[in-house]
């Protein structure tokens, strides 16, 4: 992977470079933003629905007089945290399933991938609603539901990549050398499919973030008491005609993050797999 990056750098055009900068910006906002913004995102005041540029409230206030800038900054952390954890769970499950199916092939591959196809056919939103009904709404349920929903797509890619690598000479040499299947999958095949998988993981992060925001908007995710972009869009839609910033700002932040993830993933895929073998 590092060898490929030396020959083809990421961010070689303005769109991909801007996408990487946006992702870095959002990560920094989530990590250090809450420490830099002094306003309390939950503190109510007697100055509701202040417009943009108001003194002491550069992005105005919501209907309860809470500082919109503080809520945007603090709201980035739960959304990104849920998206990252859900993507990590999906990647772990999907990669292990794909490695197993691709390496062994034959009947094992057919059975496992038919189960994956069945999981792909099941509506993701319905799965998450069932989990919420059984376990209750909350970040943990959101992570598990989104992670399980996104795992089959990553499993299909991991299977295709691992099946390609399983036919290579270095895998045959490892088998002849007495290496066991688990060791070959994790130490030989996995490092060689990590590049294309990483690119897909970044794009999957955008889907996870969209799911997290959308489900919070529907009241199925992060509690309304916690500042979150999805909750903010839902709460601000009542005032969309009089104070559109309450809805537009968190919605735009979510959209920009999702789009940046997709462009960054495309750029990384082109850099790590320039021949389009993935």
């Amino acid at each position: 992977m590092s060898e490929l990056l030396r020959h083809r750098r990421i961010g070689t055009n303005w769109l991909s470079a801007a996408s990487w900068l946006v992702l870095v910006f959002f990560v920094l906002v989530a990590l250090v933003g809450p420490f830099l913004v002094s306003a309390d995102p939950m503190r109510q005041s007697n100055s509701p629905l202040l417009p943009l540029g108001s003194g002491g409230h550069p992005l105005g206030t919501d209907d309860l007089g809470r500082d919109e800038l503080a809520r945007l900054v603090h709201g980035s952390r739960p959304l990104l945290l849920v998206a990252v954890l859900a993507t990590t769970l999906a990647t772990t499950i999907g990669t292990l399933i794909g490695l197993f199916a691709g390496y062994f092939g034959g009947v094992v591959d057919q059975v496992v991938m038919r189960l994956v196809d069945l999981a792909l056919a099941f509506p993701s939103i319905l799965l998450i609603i069932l989990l919420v009904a059984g376990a209750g709404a909350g970040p943990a349920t959101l992570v598990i539901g989104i992670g399980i929903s996104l795992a089959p797509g990553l499993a299909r890619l991991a299977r295709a990549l691992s099946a390609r690598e399983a036919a290579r000479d270095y895998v045959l040499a490892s088998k002849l050398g007495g290496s066991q299947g688990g060791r070959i999958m994790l130490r030989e095949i996995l490092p060689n499919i990590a590049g294309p998988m990483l690119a897909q993981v970044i794009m999957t992060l955008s889907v996870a973030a969209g799911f997290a925001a959308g489900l919070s908007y529907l009241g199925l995710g992060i509690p309304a008491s916690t500042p979150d972009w999805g909750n903010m869009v839902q709460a601000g839609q009542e005032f969309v005609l009089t104070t559109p910033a309450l809805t537009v700002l968190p919605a735009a932040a979510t959209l920009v993050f999702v789009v940046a993830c997709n462009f960054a993933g495309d750029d990384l895929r082109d850099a790590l797999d320039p021949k389009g073998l993935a």
Side-chain angles (χ1 to χ4, degrees), residues 240-266:
V240 67
L241 296 179
T242 57
T243 315
L246 296 180
T247 302
V248 172
L249 290 177
T254 304
L255 177 62
V256 170
F257 178 77
V258 168
V259 172
C261 282
N262 279 288
F263 281 121
D266 281 337

Side-chain angles (χ1 to χ4, degrees), residues 67-145:
D67 186 80
E68 189 70 3
L69 174 61
R71 292 181 63 77
L72 272 176
V73 171
H74 284 263
S76 64
R77 181 174 290 182
L79 182 92
L80 266 63
L81 182 61
V82 166
V84 169
L85 292 178
T87 302
T88 301
L89 177 62
T91 302
T92 302
I93 296 174
T95 302
L96 290 177
I97 292 175
L99 275 173
F100 184 80
Y103 174 77
F104 287 102
V107 176
V108 173
D109 182 27
Q110 291 296 319
V111 172
V112 171
M113 294 316 295
R114 294 299 75 78
L115 293 175
V116 169
D117 290 339
L118 182 63
L120 282 171
F122 194 84
S124 300
I125 188 67
L126 181 57
L127 171 63
I128 298 173
I129 290 175
L130 291 174
L131 286 174
V132 170
T141 306
L142 206 58
V143 168
I144 295 173

Side-chain angles (χ1 to χ4, degrees), residues 32-90:
V32 304
F35 300 104
L36 301 178
V37 177
S38 59
D40 185 350
M42 300 302 297
R43 183 179 180 180
Q44 302 179 19
S45 69
N46 296 323
S47 303
L49 301 178
L50 290 178
L52 298 176
S54 300
H57 303 282
L59 296 184
T61 59
D62 66 3
D63 58 310
L64 298 178
R66 296 174 295 190
D67 186 80
E68 189 70 3
L69 174 61
R71 292 181 63 77
L72 272 176
V73 171
H74 284 263
S76 64
R77 181 174 290 182
L79 182 92
L80 266 63
L81 182 61
V82 166
V84 169
L85 292 178
T87 302
T88 301
L89 177 62

Side-chain angles (χ1 to χ4, degrees), residues 150-178:
L150 298 179
L154 290 168
R156 289 187 66 84
L157 176 61
R159 178 261 175 193
L161 294 171
S162 60
R164 182 185 71 184
E165 295 299 319
R168 298 283 175 87
D169 291 340
Y170 73 89
V171 173
L172 178 60
S174 296
K175 291 179 180 179
L176 294 176

Side-chain angles (χ1 to χ4, degrees), residues 197-217:
M197 285 298 299
L198 179 60
Q200 186 63 37
V201 165
I202 293 178
M203 288 187 280
T204 301
L205 180 63
S206 72
V207 181
F211 260 126
L215 291 165
S216 292
Y217 173 83

